[in-house]
mmCIF file of all heavy atoms in Angstrom:
data_model
loop_
_atom_site.group_PDB
_atom_site.id
_atom_site.type_symbol
_atom_site.label_atom_id
_atom_site.label_comp_id
_atom_site.label_asym_id
_atom_site.label_seq_id
_atom_site.Cartn_x
_atom_site.Cartn_y
_atom_site.Cartn_z
ATOM 1 N N TRP A 1371 197.219 303.465 80.526
ATOM 2 C CA TRP A 1371 195.983 303.153 79.979
ATOM 3 C C TRP A 1371 195.936 303.327 78.537
ATOM 4 O O TRP A 1371 195.126 302.749 77.764
ATOM 5 C CB TRP A 1371 194.832 303.969 80.611
ATOM 6 C CG TRP A 1371 194.750 303.784 82.159
ATOM 7 C CD1 TRP A 1371 195.055 302.661 82.750
ATOM 8 C CD2 TRP A 1371 194.243 304.647 83.111
ATOM 9 N NE1 TRP A 1371 194.777 302.866 84.160
ATOM 10 C CE2 TRP A 1371 194.192 304.024 84.266
ATOM 11 C CE3 TRP A 1371 193.555 306.015 82.959
ATOM 12 C CZ2 TRP A 1371 193.776 304.678 85.519
ATOM 13 C CZ3 TRP A 1371 193.112 306.562 84.170
ATOM 14 C CH2 TRP A 1371 193.272 305.946 85.461
ATOM 15 N N ILE A 1372 196.885 304.141 77.923
ATOM 16 C CA ILE A 1372 197.072 304.401 76.497
ATOM 17 C C ILE A 1372 198.576 304.344 76.304
ATOM 18 O O ILE A 1372 199.393 304.672 77.231
ATOM 19 C CB ILE A 1372 196.474 305.714 75.986
ATOM 20 C CG1 ILE A 1372 197.012 306.882 76.710
ATOM 21 C CG2 ILE A 1372 194.972 305.604 76.037
ATOM 22 C CD1 ILE A 1372 196.605 308.212 76.125
ATOM 23 N N ASP A 1373 198.980 303.818 75.223
ATOM 24 C CA ASP A 1373 200.407 303.767 74.824
ATOM 25 C C ASP A 1373 201.020 304.873 74.027
ATOM 26 O O ASP A 1373 200.439 305.163 72.892
ATOM 27 C CB ASP A 1373 200.570 302.481 74.051
ATOM 28 C CG ASP A 1373 202.047 302.261 73.806
ATOM 29 O OD1 ASP A 1373 202.989 302.900 74.404
ATOM 30 O OD2 ASP A 1373 202.399 301.299 72.907
ATOM 31 N N LEU A 1374 201.777 305.690 74.704
ATOM 32 C CA LEU A 1374 202.248 306.850 74.031
ATOM 33 C C LEU A 1374 203.746 306.723 73.581
ATOM 34 O O LEU A 1374 204.264 307.628 73.065
ATOM 35 C CB LEU A 1374 202.189 308.147 75.095
ATOM 36 C CG LEU A 1374 200.887 308.532 75.707
ATOM 37 C CD1 LEU A 1374 201.064 309.520 76.649
ATOM 38 C CD2 LEU A 1374 199.961 308.910 74.434
ATOM 39 N N SER A 1375 204.035 305.482 73.567
ATOM 40 C CA SER A 1375 205.558 305.245 73.168
ATOM 41 C C SER A 1375 205.876 305.467 71.709
ATOM 42 O O SER A 1375 207.057 305.641 71.352
ATOM 43 C CB SER A 1375 205.993 303.818 73.639
ATOM 44 O OG SER A 1375 205.254 302.934 72.910
ATOM 45 N N ALA A 1376 204.797 305.371 70.857
ATOM 46 C CA ALA A 1376 205.046 305.511 69.402
ATOM 47 C C ALA A 1376 204.315 306.686 68.795
ATOM 48 O O ALA A 1376 204.088 306.543 67.648
ATOM 49 C CB ALA A 1376 204.765 304.089 68.664
ATOM 50 N N VAL A 1377 203.941 307.691 69.592
ATOM 51 C CA VAL A 1377 203.188 308.762 68.978
ATOM 52 C C VAL A 1377 203.903 309.619 68.176
ATOM 53 O O VAL A 1377 203.401 310.448 67.294
ATOM 54 C CB VAL A 1377 202.414 309.605 70.171
ATOM 55 C CG1 VAL A 1377 201.536 308.633 70.918
ATOM 56 C CG2 VAL A 1377 203.526 310.237 71.103
ATOM 57 N N GLY A 1378 205.245 309.700 68.257
ATOM 58 C CA GLY A 1378 206.036 310.474 67.372
ATOM 59 C C GLY A 1378 205.701 311.920 67.541
ATOM 60 O O GLY A 1378 205.612 312.483 68.657
ATOM 61 N N PRO A 1379 205.481 312.649 66.457
ATOM 62 C CA PRO A 1379 205.305 313.968 66.434
ATOM 63 C C PRO A 1379 203.840 314.359 66.614
ATOM 64 O O PRO A 1379 203.354 315.550 66.566
ATOM 65 C CB PRO A 1379 205.727 314.425 65.020
ATOM 66 C CG PRO A 1379 205.420 313.269 64.093
ATOM 67 C CD PRO A 1379 205.721 312.089 65.038
ATOM 68 N N THR A 1380 202.997 313.389 66.833
ATOM 69 C CA THR A 1380 201.468 313.653 67.088
ATOM 70 C C THR A 1380 200.998 314.656 68.046
ATOM 71 O O THR A 1380 200.199 315.366 67.756
ATOM 72 C CB THR A 1380 200.739 312.227 67.239
ATOM 73 O OG1 THR A 1380 201.187 311.279 66.365
ATOM 74 C CG2 THR A 1380 199.234 312.558 67.113
ATOM 75 N N VAL A 1381 201.744 314.613 69.175
ATOM 76 C CA VAL A 1381 201.408 315.516 70.237
ATOM 77 C C VAL A 1381 201.733 317.028 69.796
ATOM 78 O O VAL A 1381 200.957 317.969 69.953
ATOM 79 C CB VAL A 1381 202.071 315.236 71.540
ATOM 80 C CG1 VAL A 1381 201.846 316.359 72.519
ATOM 81 C CG2 VAL A 1381 201.487 313.953 72.107
ATOM 82 N N GLY A 1382 202.961 317.123 69.092
ATOM 83 C CA GLY A 1382 203.348 318.343 68.568
ATOM 84 C C GLY A 1382 202.373 318.947 67.588
ATOM 85 O O GLY A 1382 202.035 320.082 67.545
ATOM 86 N N VAL A 1383 201.873 318.110 66.614
ATOM 87 C CA VAL A 1383 200.948 318.455 65.620
ATOM 88 C C VAL A 1383 199.665 318.784 66.259
ATOM 89 O O VAL A 1383 199.007 319.786 65.887
ATOM 90 C CB VAL A 1383 200.675 317.316 64.533
ATOM 91 C CG1 VAL A 1383 199.535 317.658 63.629
ATOM 92 C CG2 VAL A 1383 201.875 317.009 63.818
ATOM 93 N N ALA A 1384 199.218 318.116 67.317
ATOM 94 C CA ALA A 1384 197.990 318.503 68.078
ATOM 95 C C ALA A 1384 198.144 320.006 68.559
ATOM 96 O O ALA A 1384 197.210 320.745 68.520
ATOM 97 C CB ALA A 1384 197.651 317.458 69.182
ATOM 98 N N LEU A 1385 199.320 320.304 69.185
ATOM 99 C CA LEU A 1385 199.492 321.537 69.765
ATOM 100 C C LEU A 1385 199.536 322.635 68.548
ATOM 101 O O LEU A 1385 198.975 323.799 68.882
ATOM 102 C CB LEU A 1385 200.874 321.616 70.498
ATOM 103 C CG LEU A 1385 200.980 320.805 71.880
ATOM 104 C CD1 LEU A 1385 202.311 320.797 72.424
ATOM 105 C CD2 LEU A 1385 199.926 321.332 72.783
ATOM 106 N N LEU A 1386 199.995 322.279 67.507
ATOM 107 C CA LEU A 1386 200.013 323.279 66.377
ATOM 108 C C LEU A 1386 198.545 323.481 65.951
ATOM 109 O O LEU A 1386 198.171 324.588 65.507
ATOM 110 C CB LEU A 1386 200.812 322.687 65.177
ATOM 111 C CG LEU A 1386 202.232 322.708 65.328
ATOM 112 C CD1 LEU A 1386 202.984 322.155 64.034
ATOM 113 C CD2 LEU A 1386 202.894 324.104 65.670
ATOM 114 N N LEU A 1387 197.729 322.459 65.908
ATOM 115 C CA LEU A 1387 196.294 322.573 65.574
ATOM 116 C C LEU A 1387 195.473 323.503 66.549
ATOM 117 O O LEU A 1387 194.720 324.337 66.130
ATOM 118 C CB LEU A 1387 195.613 321.266 65.517
ATOM 119 C CG LEU A 1387 196.095 320.348 64.295
ATOM 120 C CD1 LEU A 1387 195.451 318.951 64.365
ATOM 121 C CD2 LEU A 1387 195.660 321.065 62.937
ATOM 122 N N TRP A 1388 195.859 323.414 67.774
ATOM 123 C CA TRP A 1388 195.348 324.336 68.759
ATOM 124 C C TRP A 1388 195.792 325.671 68.574
ATOM 125 O O TRP A 1388 195.138 326.707 68.777
ATOM 126 C CB TRP A 1388 195.767 323.890 70.293
ATOM 127 C CG TRP A 1388 195.008 322.807 70.837
ATOM 128 C CD1 TRP A 1388 195.302 321.476 70.987
ATOM 129 C CD2 TRP A 1388 193.666 322.827 71.228
ATOM 130 N NE1 TRP A 1388 194.338 320.749 71.509
ATOM 131 C CE2 TRP A 1388 193.373 321.585 71.729
ATOM 132 C CE3 TRP A 1388 192.647 323.884 71.485
ATOM 133 C CZ2 TRP A 1388 192.056 321.264 72.229
ATOM 134 C CZ3 TRP A 1388 191.442 323.547 71.841
ATOM 135 C CH2 TRP A 1388 191.140 322.293 72.376
ATOM 136 N N GLY A 1389 197.036 325.794 68.000
ATOM 137 C CA GLY A 1389 197.499 327.134 67.602
ATOM 138 C C GLY A 1389 196.828 327.668 66.494
ATOM 139 O O GLY A 1389 196.488 328.984 66.429
ATOM 140 N N VAL A 1390 196.339 326.820 65.430
ATOM 141 C CA VAL A 1390 195.526 327.338 64.349
ATOM 142 C C VAL A 1390 194.288 327.783 64.850
ATOM 143 O O VAL A 1390 193.727 328.855 64.417
ATOM 144 C CB VAL A 1390 195.317 326.255 63.416
ATOM 145 C CG1 VAL A 1390 194.336 326.448 62.277
ATOM 146 C CG2 VAL A 1390 196.682 325.797 62.624
ATOM 147 N N LEU A 1391 193.566 327.200 65.795
ATOM 148 C CA LEU A 1391 192.275 327.533 66.342
ATOM 149 C C LEU A 1391 192.542 328.909 67.077
ATOM 150 O O LEU A 1391 191.687 329.863 66.858
ATOM 151 C CB LEU A 1391 191.818 326.514 67.380
ATOM 152 C CG LEU A 1391 190.721 327.040 68.329
ATOM 153 C CD1 LEU A 1391 189.420 327.287 67.608
ATOM 154 C CD2 LEU A 1391 190.484 325.957 69.526
ATOM 155 N N THR A 1392 193.525 329.044 67.812
ATOM 156 C CA THR A 1392 193.891 330.337 68.483
ATOM 157 C C THR A 1392 194.052 331.397 67.585
ATOM 158 O O THR A 1392 193.657 332.639 67.751
ATOM 159 C CB THR A 1392 194.980 330.075 69.479
ATOM 160 O OG1 THR A 1392 194.752 329.017 70.376
ATOM 161 C CG2 THR A 1392 195.189 331.290 70.324
ATOM 162 N N LEU A 1393 194.765 331.159 66.472
ATOM 163 C CA LEU A 1393 195.127 332.060 65.407
ATOM 164 C C LEU A 1393 193.820 332.718 64.822
ATOM 165 O O LEU A 1393 193.619 333.996 64.697
ATOM 166 C CB LEU A 1393 196.008 331.682 64.454
ATOM 167 C CG LEU A 1393 196.355 332.531 63.246
ATOM 168 C CD1 LEU A 1393 197.097 333.795 63.637
ATOM 169 C CD2 LEU A 1393 197.075 331.838 62.162
ATOM 170 N N TYR A 1394 192.931 331.806 64.593
ATOM 171 C CA TYR A 1394 191.644 332.383 63.949
ATOM 172 C C TYR A 1394 190.784 333.198 65.085
ATOM 173 O O TYR A 1394 190.163 334.037 64.602
ATOM 174 C CB TYR A 1394 190.904 331.250 63.145
ATOM 175 C CG TYR A 1394 189.665 330.517 63.895
ATOM 176 C CD1 TYR A 1394 188.565 331.228 64.300
ATOM 177 C CD2 TYR A 1394 189.711 329.210 64.086
ATOM 178 C CE1 TYR A 1394 187.492 330.590 64.853
ATOM 179 C CE2 TYR A 1394 188.721 328.499 64.632
ATOM 180 C CZ TYR A 1394 187.385 329.147 65.034
ATOM 181 O OH TYR A 1394 186.494 328.630 65.679
#
Side-chain angles (χ1 to χ4, degrees):
W1371 296 338
I1372 58 175
D1373 183 10
L1374 299 176
S1375 61
V1377 297
T1380 308
V1381 172
V1383 172
L1385 292 173
L1386 290 180
L1387 290 173
W1388 281 105
V1390 171
L1391 166 65
T1392 308
L1393 177 61
Y1394 99 63

